[in-house]
Amino acid sequence: MPRFFPIDIHSSKTPNIGEFFVFGERNSGTNFADALLRNNFPQLSASANDRMAKHGFRYGWKHGFPQMIAAPDTTLAVVMFRDPERWVQSMHRQPWHGAKHLRELTFSDFLAAPWQSIVDEKNFGITSGADPRAYAELQWDRHPLTGARFDNILQLRNAKSAGFLSLKNRFSNVIFARYEDVANAPAEFINMIGQTYALTARAKFVSVDQQRGRKSDGKFVRHVYDDLTQTDRDFIWSGLDTKQEEILGYIP
């Protein structure tokens, strides 16, 4: 049986978990992790998800910089990361909320393009196309302090990862995990969470076989990506914060 290795775990002395929330960039397995926890911990099935409620997102936009109004000790924060090479390939294939022109670029041009997102779905609280905010630039993907656009998707990752890592200073109970580890050992992931946070999982493990963890999206089929060219790989790693990637476990 494979052993699950999280990046980092923080647990209060007497965890009293009443809900969880999953954070992480797009295409990093957040929906997969969310579905795993809902399927296997019945007591957490009513936790807030990534759908905007009447008064907004409960803990902020899960793909954004930390912006929750509070981080209760009873909330378990689950933070997901993904291998940077596969992540940028997945973002090129499906750049959720990315501006239209980004979707038309070759992979190499996509890597180097200034990042821009748009408000393109009702889940941002825009219910009508007549709303002047509809299809305007999504400010949550700009630098949270300066308001500047990121020079490229790699700079976006550097900043977002720093924001996600800061959650250990905000929540008393938080686990940082790599998508690859969770996907390869989902039952071990659930067992580890149960043991660490004193949560009782279902007697029989319930897997997640649907795309994005949703039946409406159909059965999950793993996408096979082409090998990166050396030029693209060099560009990616020259733009990444390597000290941060080492913390995430993507540099041995």
Side-chain angles (χ1 to χ4, degrees):
M1 178 180 295
R3 183 181 174 188
F4 182 80
F5 294 97
I7 299 170
D8 198 5
I9 298 177
H10 295 266
S11 177
S12 56
K13 292 183 179 179
T14 56
N16 181 26
I17 304 301
E19 66 176 342
F20 73 91
F21 192 79
V22 181
F23 297 88
E25 250 296 18
R26 291 148 285 192
N27 297 312
S28 293
T30 56
N31 289 318
F32 176 62
D34 182 273
L36 269 179
L37 268 71
R38 290 182 196 279
N39 286 357
N40 290 282
F41 293 112
Q43 67 269 47
L44 303 182
S45 62
S47 297
N49 58 18
D50 64 345
R51 299 294 91 185
M52 182 174 278
K54 180 179 179 180
H55 299 293
F57 292 116
R58 183 165 174 79
Y59 292 108
W61 187 40
K62 70 172 182 177
H63 300 312
F65 295 96
Q67 53 190 312
M68 68 291 299
I69 193 171
D73 292 347
T74 53
T75 300
L76 169 61
V78 179
V79 191
M80 300 294 294
F81 297 92
R82 188 175 182 179
D83 173 86
E85 295 184 8
R86 286 292 175 262
W87 177 73
V88 292
Q89 286 183 302
S90 183
M91 286 291 284
H92 178 248
R93 177 171 173 261
Q94 179 54 272
W96 299 101
H97 315 304
K100 183 177 183 296
H101 69 272
L102 292 175
R103 301 167 182 268
E104 300 169 348
L105 299 176
T106 65
F107 182 69
S108 296
D109 289 341
F110 178 80
L111 289 177
W115 185 259
Q116 184 179 359
S117 293
I118 57 175
V119 181
D120 61 354
E121 66 173 39
K122 293 181 179 180
N123 192 41
F124 290 119
I126 309 301
T127 59
S128 168
D131 190 314
R133 297 172 297 171
Y135 301 104
E137 184 164 0
L138 179 63
Q139 293 295 311
W140 287 340
D141 257 359
R142 285 192 176 214
H143 193 289
L145 297 180
T146 68
R149 287 180 186 161
F150 290 99
D151 291 341
N152 55 48
I153 193 173
L154 305 171
Q155 295 303 308
L156 177 74
R157 177 183 173 94
N158 292 338
K160 286 286 187 74
S161 293
F164 293 135
L165 287 170
S166 79
L167 292 172
K168 67 183 177 183
N169 300 322
R170 303 172 188 273
F171 287 89
S172 296
N173 299 289
V174 56
I175 176 170
F176 298 91
R178 289 173 291 262
Y179 166 69
E180 299 81 14
D181 293 340
V182 178
N184 289 332
E188 288 71 22
F189 176 64
I190 291 300
N191 289 339
M192 181 272 299
I193 288 180
Q195 293 172 9
T196 302
Y197 302 104
L199 294 168
T200 302
R202 294 186 186 276
K204 185 177 180 180
F205 172 74
V206 181
S207 61
V208 176
D209 302 317
Q210 300 83 25
Q211 185 75 20
R212 298 202 296 163
R214 301 172 184 172
K215 291 182 179 180
S216 60
D217 288 350
K219 188 174 179 62
F220 173 74
V221 178
R222 188 180 296 276
H223 184 78
V224 178
Y225 292 95
D226 294 333
D227 292 336
L228 292 173
T229 66
Q230 191 59 50
T231 298
D232 286 340
R233 180 173 284 112
D234 290 344
F235 185 88
I236 289 170
W237 286 100
S238 68
L240 290 172
D241 182 333
T242 52
K243 290 184 178 180
Q244 196 162 251
E245 295 298 331
E246 185 175 9
I247 291 172
L248 300 180
Y250 292 119
I251 299 178

